[in-house]
Amino acid sequence: MKKIVIVGVSILSLLTFSACSNNDKPDSKPEEVSKKDLEKLKVNENEMDPNEDLQGYVYFSGKFIGKGLVAIEDEDGNDIEVSKLDSDGNFNLKVNGTLKKQSLKIRAGSKKVKVTVLPLDKDFEEKKKAEAEKNKLIGEQVRQTQEENRIKKEAEDKLAAEAKAEDDRIKKEAEDKRIAEEERLKKEAEDKRIAEEQAKEAIANLPTEYKSALNKAYAYSEKMAMSKMGLYDQLTSEYGEKFSPEAAQYAIDNVKADWNANALTKARNYQDSMSMSPEAIRDQLTSEYGEKFTPEEADYAIQNLN
């Protein structure tokens, strides 16, 4: 009897432990259902037209929350295009258009979304070809316009460069002239300074006779309006100043006299005091026994008589 009781208690204990074990084990099926519920597939457009913009194909885009690839299936369940997800779960699937309507499915994980691709127009290829020709013509026109603009710009740039070069040449020429003129004036001033210094030095070392002859030359020129040759004769004459030929020559070479003005003064004196004719005055001015002016100086005097 004790044996029966012990066996019964053992069996009851095993049944109780088994029941407890079954209650503690989690159910895997609810977890699997929860994971599928977390997957979300969104397609931006469910129907697309491959005739738009004459592309001949469409792109289905969307977003998938889940793991794995995204594919688009044809009516027979075959994959047409497969796409990877980017880091944000976005995808793009390309489908070429056909002459018949396509009913497709986008598949991602356990989710599927029906999409439709409208059929191509019967004259799609002709339209596409015509559009290609149109675009080609537009492209040629654009290239032609670009070439014309390039040639025009080159011509304008060339003219601008030539104008700039001419302007630079004129500026350089003016600058060169300015520099040359500055150098000329600088040299002229320097030469004048040197000449004045030399003249001062020469005067300082000049013999007294030379200085006296020069002073007499100034007096005769200013007071008596004598000619150069008349002045020389007066300075060397034994009846005049009796200077040496060298002193007299120095004097007439260095006296600052206007011989034309002296000739005109003499001519007016002859005209006013003796009422002589212009030709008679000319003869008197140029005569070796008269005033001894040069023919050019006499001509100046006659031409400027009142």
Side-chain angles (χ1 to χ4, degrees), residues 25-126:
K25 185 177 180 181
D27 190 355
S28 61
K29 188 172 182 181
E31 179 184 358
E32 184 178 346
V33 172
S34 176
K35 183 178 179 181
K36 288 181 181 180
D37 288 342
L38 290 175
E39 292 181 340
K40 292 183 180 180
L41 175 60
K42 178 186 176 183
V43 179
N44 294 331
E45 293 187 50
N46 294 83
E47 181 178 276
M48 299 194 73
D49 186 358
N51 296 288
E52 289 185 8
D53 300 326
L54 294 175
Q55 292 185 8
Y57 56 85
V58 296
Y59 273 103
F60 285 102
S61 61
K63 187 171 185 177
F64 175 60
I65 299 175
K67 293 183 179 180
L69 301 175
V70 180
I72 187 164
E73 302 175 350
D74 62 14
E75 296 174 355
D76 297 325
N78 300 314
D79 289 348
I80 299 174
E81 179 84 2
V82 178
S83 172
K84 292 182 179 180
L85 300 172
D86 65 13
S87 58
D88 296 323
N90 299 309
F91 63 86
N92 276 295
L93 294 164
K94 179 181 178 181
V95 180
N96 292 321
T98 63
L99 292 176
K100 58 181 284 188
K101 182 177 179 180
Q102 301 177 72
S103 296
L104 311 173
K105 291 180 182 178
I106 294 177
R107 182 189 75 249
S110 62
K111 304 293 184 180
K112 289 187 178 182
V113 175
K114 292 182 179 181
V115 294
T116 302
V117 180
L118 298 176
L120 290 171
D121 296 337
K122 292 181 179 180
D123 57 350
F124 175 80
E125 291 299 328
E126 293 179 4

Side-chain angles (χ1 to χ4, degrees), residues 138-149:
I138 292 173
E140 290 175 353
Q141 291 174 343
V142 170
R143 284 190 293 273
Q144 183 179 355
T145 301
Q146 290 174 341
E147 180 64 12
E148 290 173 353
N149 290 338

